[in-house]
Amino acid sequence: DDVHWADLPSLRMLEFLAPELPDARLLVVATLREVETRRAPAVAAVVDRLGRGARRLPLAGFTVEEVGRFVEDCTGQRVIAALAERLQRDTDGNPFFLDEIVRRLRGTPEWSRSAPFPISHGVRSVIRQRLEPLPDATQRLLSAAAVAGREFDLALLEAAVGTARAELLELLAPALEIAVVAPVADRAGRYRFAHALIRETIYEQVRASESVALHRRFGEIIEERHRSSLDAHLPELAHHFFAAAAGGAEAKALDYVERAGRRALEMLAYEDAADHFQRALHLNAMSPLADPERECELLLALAEAKHRGGQGDESSKACRRAAALAREIGSPSLLARAAVGLCHAGVAWAEFGRCDDTLVHTLEEALHQLGPHDPLRAFVVARLATEQFWTQPLAAVDALSDEAVALARNAGGGRALAYALLARIHCVSGPEAFDERRALIDELLTLSGGRGELAINAYLWRFGDELQFGDGRIAHASGERLIRAVQDLRQPRDLWLVPSVRSRQALLLGKLRRSRTARRTGDGARGRRRECGAGVSRVHVHGPS
């Protein structure tokens, strides 16, 4: 074992023995770290000669699947895919690093959610031993590179530390030799730390004042170089300026972090968006000029990101905080948006058989404060209609939902009209209103162009109607359109609809086994689902942004 640390006489004995092995009933297994052998040229030469007549088995890091099995074996607990992926990414599947992390974390509450992974003393020691032979100047360069991130650019480092690129290459050479860093394929001048844990260990040793100054410098360089295309670099700018905020860059940090959150929301990166908005809330709170209106806007953005990411309860909490703040600052529009967002951030729906009296009170409060021509009235009235659907006389609910549609049309349609139409469909969901519902669904499909969330909702209602009316052929076609819309949008929270629809289609054909199989798949994949009669009924469109 550890041939890279063996003395030369022992290695030469192995070299003498090796040619005799093919004719002997003897197996010799020698393990070594190739990176370590390069430090001793004489050892490397013997190992190379041994390798010519031996079978070499390079050991790569564990795959994501293997990481999951490894952690399950160590802890006896089932590992979710997201955790296995994160562990594999941060350790490159290195079993030693994995073992150290799992050993450190498994005794802590909710260890599977811990972020970032703390680096145990054992791993730190191994990494420091590996870095110890490097020249001081190389270690200082690696410290600056660690502030830049897991990947770093020599041009960025050159501008930040004021050292010529040729000299940087010379300083980096020893780290490349022992594979602490490696070039990024097809990216000239770009390098990457071999493990996230190596970068973390180095970063932890950088003085706080130096780290803040470097983060700010990196942010300013990126800002200057990409002034015409900042949107493409918002995550980097948000990261560096947030880390530099302790040194007095709160305003710029808040601006970039909020912009990065809204950009992530547009790109459907909901978890990233939520992280950015939470950081923005922290920055706004720590500012001497904290803006309560901006805080409310950030809470509403956080609510949307949480909702879209499938965290309905967290979304509702953010909306409640936004509603309380809107009351304090006396903003009817913010109160209305928070009220509409309550209960899953803008889903025009009511839980079966129940009415949330607190929500109704908040909606009525917002409605009372809004002006008669405020476009938000359509959202509030629509949400009020659906929330009271199970507890108020149908005539009253019908009148409210009809008023919401009229208000939305008068306000110019768009998002408000889509929201009001979906609320109206829910409020006239009985069989006697089939013709009206069909016309409303057609209008929704026209608004959506047959794509996106609106189309999914429209097809979902249509599929449910056709199932209830027993038209299997048409229901099958609507189900296929619904499935295509879900697959095109590729939102995780909607994927349960595919096996659910498949189950119903199989049931109509009398294929009970296939129906049960699809149904079980859907039950495992879905989040919350609401059904009405034989069809699935869901209203799921976002309120005012």
Side-chain angles (χ1 to χ4, degrees):
D1 198 9
D2 289 333
V3 167
H4 50 278
W5 286 334
D7 58 282
L8 276 174
S10 298
L11 282 174
R12 288 184 176 133
M13 183 188 72
L14 181 59
E15 186 180 12
F16 175 80
L17 178 64
E20 308 300 319
L21 291 176
D23 299 321
R25 297 182 65 182
L26 183 65
L27 175 67
V28 175
V29 177
T31 66
L32 60 91
R33 296 186 196 137
E34 291 189 354
V35 168
E36 299 288 342
T37 62
R38 295 177 200 154
R39 293 182 178 178
V43 172
V46 176
V47 168
D48 284 343
R49 290 195 294 271
L50 282 167
R52 292 172 199 152
R55 183 179 176 188
R56 304 187 74 145
L57 298 172
L59 298 178
F62 288 159
T63 64
V64 172
E65 182 183 357
E66 289 165 343
V67 166
R69 284 163 48 199
F70 176 86
V71 178
E72 285 178 24
D73 288 342
C74 291
T75 65
Q77 296 180 31
R78 188 170 182 78
V79 178
I80 60 172
L83 174 61
E85 288 169 6
R86 190 164 154 216
L87 283 166
Q88 199 278 340
R89 182 177 66 248
D90 282 4
T91 66
D92 283 351
N94 184 302
F96 177 71
F97 290 164
L98 279 168
D99 185 60
E100 289 291 335
I101 288 174
V102 173
R103 194 194 306 260
R104 176 71 172 256
L105 288 181
R106 64 184 172 188
T108 62
E110 295 188 343
W111 68 273
S112 63
R113 296 176 180 269
S114 182
F117 296 118
I119 305 172
S120 74
H121 178 70
V123 174
R124 284 191 181 94
S125 297
V126 170
I127 292 172
R128 285 172 182 157
Q129 285 174 17
R130 191 169 174 187
L131 297 170
E132 195 173 346
L134 294 175
D136 290 345
T138 299
Q139 294 200 37
R140 285 194 296 273
L141 174 61
L142 291 178
S143 294
V147 174
R150 172 92 188 261
E151 286 191 12
F152 56 93
D153 191 281
L154 278 188
L156 188 64
L157 278 177
E158 180 182 35
V161 302
T163 302
R165 208 172 309 183
E167 188 177 345
L168 289 178
L169 284 169
E170 289 293 326
L171 293 174
L172 201 58
L176 287 166
E177 259 182 51
I178 64 168
V180 167
V181 296
V184 176
D186 304 321
R187 298 286 301 276
R190 194 163 182 85
Y191 295 84
R192 186 173 192 261
F193 284 99
H195 293 282
L197 297 178
I198 293 176
R199 183 256 170 186
E200 284 291 327
T201 300
I202 296 171
Y203 184 76
E204 285 178 355
Q205 296 177 77
V206 180
R207 287 199 308 265
S209 57
E210 185 182 350
S211 174
V212 165
L214 275 171
H215 274 298
R216 185 166 190 162
R217 183 69 182 127
F218 284 135
E220 289 169 347
I221 294 167
I222 294 168
E223 187 180 45
E224 181 60 34
R225 290 185 174 181
H226 303 285
R227 196 166 291 282
S228 61
S229 57
L230 286 180
D231 279 1
H233 299 274
L234 285 174
E236 297 166 83
L237 289 163
H239 166 72
H240 286 301
F241 280 110
F242 180 76
E250 298 99 333
K252 184 173 281 192
L254 176 55
D255 180 54
Y256 279 127
V257 171
E258 182 178 357
R259 287 173 63 185
R262 298 196 183 280
R263 175 73 169 172
L265 207 54
E266 291 172 5
M267 302 297 290
L268 314 184
Y270 303 133
E271 292 81 3
D272 288 347
D275 288 344
H276 284 306
F277 291 134
Q278 284 169 330
R279 291 189 189 104
L281 284 163
H282 169 72
L283 288 167
N284 187 64
M286 69 182 279
S287 169
L289 301 173
D291 182 351
E293 191 166 324
R294 190 170 195 175
E295 181 183 354
C296 200
E297 292 281 2
L298 289 169
L299 283 167
L300 292 171
L302 175 63
E304 183 175 355
K306 289 287 189 182
H307 166 64
R308 287 177 176 264
Q311 295 178 280
D313 291 340
E314 292 296 313
S315 174
S316 293
K317 286 178 186 176
C319 282
R320 282 194 290 272
R321 287 172 59 195
L325 194 56
R327 287 190 188 96
E328 285 181 24
I329 61 181
S331 172
S333 61
L334 288 173
L335 179 61
R337 289 167 57 195
V340 171
L342 279 166
C343 290
H344 309 299
V347 179
W349 188 258
E351 189 173 346
F352 189 90
R354 292 186 61 189
C355 174
D356 185 336
D357 292 333
T358 302
L359 174 57
V360 168
H361 174 75
T362 306
L363 289 164
E364 290 175 338
E365 180 186 2
L367 193 60
H368 177 72
Q369 293 182 22
L370 288 172
H373 304 294
D374 194 310
L376 288 170
R377 289 187 72 86
F379 289 98
V380 177
V381 173
R383 187 68 184 87
L384 196 56
T386 57
E387 189 59 33
Q388 297 183 104
F389 179 75
W390 301 106
T391 58
Q392 294 298 311
L394 287 178
V397 170
D398 180 82
L400 275 175
S401 63
D402 192 48
E403 181 189 352
V405 173
L407 286 167
R409 293 194 195 283
N410 290 336
R415 205 170 186 179
L417 180 58
Y419 193 87
L421 289 173
L422 282 167
R424 177 67 179 167
I425 290 171
H426 173 57
C427 292
V428 293
S429 54
E432 73 286 348
F434 175 75
D435 290 336
E436 180 185 355
R437 207 159 50 248
R438 179 169 56 185
L440 293 169
I441 291 168
D442 285 342
E443 187 172 359
L444 270 178
L445 287 171
T446 300
L447 279 173
S448 69
R451 295 184 301 277
E453 288 177 335
L454 279 182
I456 289 173
N457 282 284
Y459 287 133
L460 187 56
W461 277 104
R462 174 151 291 172
F463 180 61
D465 275 351
E466 288 161 355
L467 283 176
Q468 291 182 66
F469 277 83
D471 194 331
R473 181 180 57 82
I474 297 177
H476 183 86
S478 289
E480 289 301 311
R481 285 192 288 270
L482 171 57
I483 286 170
R484 281 197 298 274
V486 169
Q487 291 173 336
D488 287 346
L489 192 60
R490 291 182 293 180
Q491 289 298 286
R493 65 159 184 265
D494 293 327
L495 295 179
W496 65 269
L497 286 167
V498 175
S500 180
V501 171
R502 293 285 187 225
S503 172
R504 285 162 172 76
Q505 289 174 329
L507 192 63
L508 287 172
L509 297 172
K511 298 179 179 180
L512 302 184
R513 181 176 297 176
R514 184 187 298 178
S515 175
R516 281 196 298 270
T517 301
R519 184 62 179 240
R520 281 196 295 269
T521 304
D523 288 345
R526 73 174 185 244
R528 284 186 169 179
R529 184 178 67 179
R530 297 162 174 84
E531 296 181 305
C532 181
V536 182
S537 300
R538 181 196 64 167
V539 181
H540 192 98
V541 65
H542 291 282
S545 60

